[in-house]
Amino acid sequence: QVQLMESGGGLVQAGQSLRLSCAASGNIFRINNMAWYRQAPGKQRDMVATITRGGSTNYADSVKGRFTISRDNVMNTVYLQMDSLKPEDTAVYYCNAAGLGSSIGSTFEVWGQGTQVTVSS
């Protein structure tokens, strides 16, 4: 079993920064893709940023140039640096990870519990 633990959310003013962290633990052989998603009240969950094991990244258009995703493969941790935050970035942010389990032939895809980010104007 694999678990994700997120941290770093909070309340900030527009223009400020936050850094989210998400650490994976459990029966992990290798994590391939990691990602951040977000869900605002009354809306669907949308992709924010993704990163492969090799470091290739992809961003939603709404966050390009403001957010940076990175990872530490040794610590099985993914980060989301959020700069120049806007009120429309307010949402619950979820971490996602997919990869190979420690049992031969096993795979996993798991979600974190979510962390609230609120940006006031």
Side-chain angles (χ1 to χ4, degrees), residues 13-82:
Q13 293 185 328
Q16 294 185 326
S17 298
L18 276 176
R19 188 189 195 214
L20 305 182
S21 300
C22 172
S25 62
N27 299 324
I28 300 168
F29 176 71
R30 186 180 69 215
I31 299 178
N32 293 326
N33 296 327
M34 303 188 83
W36 289 96
Y37 287 72
R38 68 186 180 186
Q39 187 167 19
K43 296 189 177 181
Q44 67 182 21
R45 188 175 298 186
D46 292 326
M47 185 275 291
V48 175
T50 66
I51 186 167
T52 67
R53 184 170 182 82
S56 296
T57 59
N58 185 43
Y59 295 93
D61 288 342
S62 59
V63 306
K64 282 180 182 176
R66 301 188 298 121
F67 290 11
T68 303
I69 189 171
S70 60
R71 63 187 286 175
D72 183 330
N73 290 333
V74 174
M75 299 299 293
N76 286 333
T77 300
V78 64
Y79 306 95
L80 186 67
Q81 177 67 40
M82 304 184 293

